[in-house]
Every structure is written in structure tokens, then in C-alpha cells.
Amino acid sequence: MDGKHITGVRTVSIPVDSQDDALRFYTNLGFTVLRDAPTPTGRWIELAPGMGNVILTLEPAAPGTSRGAIGIRFTSDDVDATHAAMVAEGIDVDDVLRWPNVPPMFAFRDPDGNAFSITGTTAPGSSTP
């Protein structure tokens, strides 16, 4: 192969037990619904956080799908405010982690047990990500 066949990442899929419950959870976090169309196995739901530069899909989970870290790091300009808002909503969140020259971050889990993190857009005392 010449390296020109794969040109990017279209979506990242999140396995969910109930597409309706997951859709409600993510739209309450401020995600925008880009597409919600029926498919033979459920629905094709595309969501975008923030500026919409990444698209997430809520896929019906296959039986026995394990849950845990998916490796998605969402961003926030104000990690502390985001953390406080998620705590107020009753979302399962960890403490904010802080290290020198590293953006603050914290982990959270959706109702299906999928784990993600929120990472600040800049490190304290830094103007670069």
C-alpha cells in the first residue's frame, strides 16, 4: 500500500446498552446531534462535542462487550467548572489531577460504564497545549 488509502478518522464509536439513554446523557453534556437515522440493528447516531471537529457514534453494544477506558480525552477551557457541573449532575467523576506543566484532567464514566477523561486546553502557566 502506498499510504494514501486511509486519510483520517471519521468517527469513534461508543458501545451503549440503550441508545435513547446514551443520547439523553450526551446531549445533556452539550453534545450536538448531527444524525439520528434508523438502521437494521438500531440507529446510526452521530454526535459532536464542542466545535464538532470529532464525531462520536452511539453503537448498540454486542452481548458481552467489556466496558472501561476507551481512550477518548475531551477538552475543556475550564476543567474545574466542568468538573463541578458534572458532579452537580450526579455523573461518576474522579478528582481533578494536577501535575506541573501538564493540563489539569479528570476521568468520568457514562451510564454504560465507558470511561473517558476531560483535559484542560492548556497547562497552568503555559500558553500552549
Side-chain angles (χ1 to χ4, degrees):
M1 286 181 45
D2 61 12
K4 296 180 184 176
H5 298 281
I6 298 174
T7 60
V9 175
R10 164 95 174 120
T11 63
V12 176
S13 294
I14 301 171
V16 299
D17 291 329
S18 167
Q19 288 180 301
D20 288 330
D21 291 345
L23 182 60
R24 195 170 16 266
F25 176 81
Y26 287 100
T27 55
N28 284 343
L29 288 179
F31 288 46
T32 301
V33 177
L34 302 177
R35 183 171 290 118
D36 187 348
T39 67
T41 60
R43 292 153 49 201
W44 182 257
I45 301 172
E46 293 182 344
L47 304 172
M51 301 301 292
N53 52 353
V54 173
I55 298 172
L56 304 174
T57 60
L58 303 176
E59 300 276 339
T65 299
S66 63
R67 308 304 170 120
I70 292 181
I72 298 173
R73 291 185 179 273
F74 298 108
T75 58
S76 172
D77 292 333
D78 187 340
V79 168
D80 293 314
T82 301
H83 186 268
M86 292 176 95
V87 167
E89 288 292 320
I91 297 171
D92 182 13
V93 299
D94 293 346
D95 292 336
V96 176
L97 301 174
R98 300 176 196 281
W99 298 294
N101 301 313
V102 175
M105 64 188 78
F106 67 92
F108 75 97
R109 281 143 305 278
D110 72 7
D112 287 290
N114 297 305
F116 307 97
S117 70
I118 303 284
T119 302
T121 52
T122 58
S126 171
S127 61
T128 58

